[in-house]
Amino acid sequence: MQNKDYSNDGIWTKEFVVIFMYHFIIMFAMYVSMVTIGSFAIDNYNASASTAGLVASIFIIGVLAGRALTGQQINRLGARRLLYIGTILFFATYALYFIDGSLSLLIITRFLNGFATGLISTALNTLATISVPERRRGEGISYFSLSFVLGSAIGPFLGFLLADTIPYNVMLLIVAVLVLIVAMTIPMIRTNNIKRPMKPTVKGFKMVDRDALPMGFSILFMGLAYAGVLSFLNMYAQEVDLVTAASFFFIVYAISITLTRPFTGKLMDQKGANIVLYPAFILMAIGFFMLGSATTGLVLLASSILIGFGYGNFQSIAQTVCVNLASRENVGLATSTYFIMLEIGLGFGPFFLGFLVPSLGYGGLYQFLVISVLIAMGIFHFVYGRHESAEKHMSQQDLK
């Protein structure tokens, strides 16, 4: 099924570095536009705040559509070929940003460019998963997912910085050049999930992998909880007068993940997912409770560390669990399933959580979301955790 590179014992191969850098830049490009496009729409099209929010969030809907429609195609055409297709589509849709058109054109452009980004990201995640040795898969995915963490932290920071110093079109051009540079390294990727075109084993369209889907509901509830941080942290910080501390929230969050990912990935490969994920659920729950009761900047930043330890490590390990649950030929579809369920929580969560804010307040909302984290832990326990514990117990009995 895989080529000979799959059995290579190293993780940081030339191909893995190329895949990592491409994903980092594409995530950087995504978040640079996410935090700046709303203001651009208001300044240039007199868009309302709600419409500006749509301009920003429609990109996520496009990403979700790209993942949903390409998960199965990865099994048919191969991740590498779809990476080429997605890259071409990315630049074709990105060019639409430079057309001086209407607000409707901007919204359509955002959706299409998000679709291409979703295709590229799914292909790169699949290639990263199969480019590392199977026995070191947890460690490899933990390292690779740092490309997302760094892109989502550096992107917003530089986006705000550039927006105040250069014209928006110039910023778009700089991002396009960066994506072009990493796209030129695609021929260096030799790994692929298929050696030759496959005939589909089942008829019809498959959006998710059936084996990985139960774990996906745990991922959805974790994404729902984290959506509250992404969407309401600024408003909450203004309410409790902790704006300065909140500005460092995601930087501290990213640092805490970066420091722990190498260890948690190795730990999963050696001891299993349970030893990482159960503490991750508990730490995230504590982090949300602290965030909801924060009265000082120190408490708020301490909550970001705990949420980083919890949610940050949950992401990579949960992706590994999805891949491990799926059959070997469905690595791409399982990867797509992971991101679909995550982005449903992240993308639609703010809409539903917004209804709770008037009655709970922002602080109360964060403490309420502890329930979402505990539900996610319960789902994980029943679909995976208890089985891993039973298998470990049986293997220990066999050794006696």
Side-chain angles (χ1 to χ4, degrees), residues 17-35 59-60 62-63 67 82-95 97 110 112-128 144-156 172 174-186 189 339 343:
V17 172
V18 168
I19 296 167
F20 181 97
M21 290 304 301
Y22 195 173
H23 196 252
F24 164 69
I25 293 297
I26 207 70
M27 291 296 100
F28 170 83
M30 170 178 165
Y31 279 93
V32 163
S33 67
M34 284 284 290
V35 300
F59 191 95
I60 296 294
V63 171
R67 296 194 193 280
L82 282 176
L83 180 59
Y84 278 105
I85 295 172
T87 300
I88 293 170
L89 182 61
F90 177 89
F91 286 107
T93 57
Y94 201 84
Y97 279 120
R110 293 284 294 163
L112 293 176
N113 196 238
F115 181 90
T117 298
L119 197 160
I120 292 171
S121 180
T122 302
L124 288 171
N125 272 272
T126 302
L127 291 168
F144 177 74
S145 57
L146 285 175
S147 62
F148 172 81
V149 174
L150 295 174
S152 63
I154 297 174
L172 288 175
I174 292 173
V175 172
V177 171
L178 291 174
V179 176
L180 178 61
I181 291 173
V182 293
M184 292 175 65
T185 64
I186 293 178
I189 302 174
F339 282 104
E343 284 160 1

